[in-house]
Amino acid sequence: MTPLPDRYCPIDGVRIPSASLAWCCPSCHGPLDLDFAPTPAPLKALTGRVNSLWRYAETLPLSAPSVSLGEGRTPLVPLTEGVSAKLDYLMPTLSFKDRGAVLLTELALRAEPRRVVADSSGNAGTSVAAYCARGRLPCTVYVPEGTSAKKLEQIEAHGARAVVVDGDREAAGAAAREAADAPDTFYASHVYNPYFLHGTKTYVHELWEDLGGRLPEVLVLPVGNGTLLLGAALAVAELYGAGLLDRRPALWAVQAAAVAPLARAWADGAEELPRSTPVAPTYAEGIAVPRPPRARQILRAVRGSGGTFLTVTEDQIRHAQLDLASRGLYVESTAAASWAAVREGALGTKSAVVPLCGAGLKSGLARA
């Protein structure tokens, strides 16, 4: 079995051995990064490979998947002139989170824990539950009050235990982290564990391949905890560093105006989150994260790409979801946020791709 790369803290450099069940920096308690700098294969070398995200084996810190459900290689379809949508809601558990959950579960299998715990607003929990079922790992998922009943049903259908925590998304995360400190427990955190980001980066590797070795001028990405955006930034850096891209796309980060701590920090020119951020109910529950642990990294990634932050109102989200449905694409309201940000001409003449991250069957239509 190939040795795994170590994790490390991007703030103070503390290193965590690959075999450790530690889920955060023991010094600052922040999320970890991976000591891993792969070189992706050139376009021609991908011909004939397995039709899943594992075709990008050179870029992944784990190999020989035992729990794969065929995740990845989702369709890319045009929406309007210059703007396409990548249909990541057609993943095995109906959300893009499968890209990262499969790596977390493969990692957990190597650790042989007594149990796996996760926290989620719904989609990450359903994904971790499914892959743990595939790997025969006992799993508990902590979710906040108000989580879609359909997502809870999906978690439990996979055999996982769903624990509804009194409070919001942050409360669910705190409960999971407390449980994660128990002995022989693997914390399948899509926020703290860097393996998840190395799974989500395959979104961009697929775009690059589907577009014939190039990327659009803009990648428009919904941001709560920022796992898709940070994965995208990793992939862009890998492709550009290998000489497989002649220019880097700008990263446009989209937040719901009701919960927009990163957009507010961006507007203030800050590198840290404001001490407090107004929070209101939002249809976009999947990105309703008041204090994302990787905030500094997200802001740095957007700034370094020449990108920006956009916010969308509840009416814009609702109308974007209905507009996508009228085009044959039934996605949940969070997944409509990126389209809401660009459908009225914000891009100008720039080419772009928006991700449709979760299926509408998971939560239904946003109602006025």
Side-chain angles (χ1 to χ4, degrees), residues 37 106 159 332 353:
E106 286 289 342
E332 63 179 345
V353 172

Side-chain angles (χ1 to χ4, degrees), residues 60 92 107 129 216 256 280 321 324 356 364 366:
L60 297 174
L107 186 62
Q321 186 188 26
L324 287 168
L356 302 184

Side-chain angles (χ1 to χ4, degrees), residues 164-185:
V164 180
V165 177
D166 292 337
D168 59 10
R169 180 67 183 82
E170 287 191 321
R177 291 191 291 274
E178 182 178 354
D181 287 332
D184 298 321
T185 300

Side-chain angles (χ1 to χ4, degrees), residues 81-303:
E81 182 66 30
V83 182
S84 295
K86 188 159 176 60
L87 310 191
D88 259 25
Y89 71 93
L90 298 181
M91 288 285 204
T93 76
L94 307 182
S95 91
F96 87 96
K97 296 290 175 62
D98 292 355
R99 294 185 183 276
V102 65
L103 266 72
L104 290 185
T105 307
E106 286 289 342
L107 186 62
L109 283 171
R110 296 196 181 201
E112 298 182 335
R114 182 171 56 86
R115 65 168 180 164
V116 173
V117 299
D119 59 281
S120 171
S121 59
N123 283 340
T126 62
S127 190
V128 169
Y131 284 94
C132 281
R134 184 79 164 173
R136 299 292 186 263
L137 290 168
C139 178
T140 301
V141 182
Y142 294 83
V143 299
E145 288 180 310
T147 297
S148 164
K150 294 179 181 180
K151 293 177 182 178
L152 290 175
E153 179 181 333
Q154 188 179 1
I155 289 170
E156 292 172 340
H158 291 307
R161 177 178 170 234
V163 178
V164 180
V165 177
D166 292 337
D168 59 10
R169 180 67 183 82
E170 287 191 321
R177 291 191 291 274
E178 182 178 354
D181 287 332
D184 298 321
T185 300
F186 181 90
Y187 183 23
S189 172
H190 59 291
V191 180
Y192 283 83
N193 195 311
Y195 277 80
F196 195 90
L197 305 181
H198 283 269
T200 62
K201 75 183 181 184
T202 59
Y203 169 87
V204 166
H205 283 288
E206 288 179 19
L207 282 180
W208 171 79
E209 182 181 1
D210 290 342
L211 294 172
R214 61 182 180 84
L215 289 173
E217 294 170 90
V218 178
L219 296 174
V220 187
L221 302 155
V223 173
N225 277 309
T227 56
L228 185 54
L229 183 140
L230 290 173
L234 279 173
V236 169
E238 291 171 3
L239 291 164
Y240 188 79
L244 298 173
L245 278 179
D246 57 5
R247 58 169 178 75
R248 302 176 189 237
L251 304 179
W252 286 20
V254 180
Q255 295 207 287
V259 187
L262 291 158
R264 182 179 174 188
W266 178 266
D268 292 343
E271 295 186 1
E272 302 281 356
L273 294 177
R275 290 188 177 181
S276 62
T277 301
V279 174
T282 178
Y283 297 132
E285 63 178 6
I287 53 173
V289 181
R291 301 203 68 79
R294 292 187 184 270
R296 180 191 288 264
Q297 289 177 274
I298 297 166
L299 290 164
R300 187 184 303 125
V302 174
R303 189 172 289 115

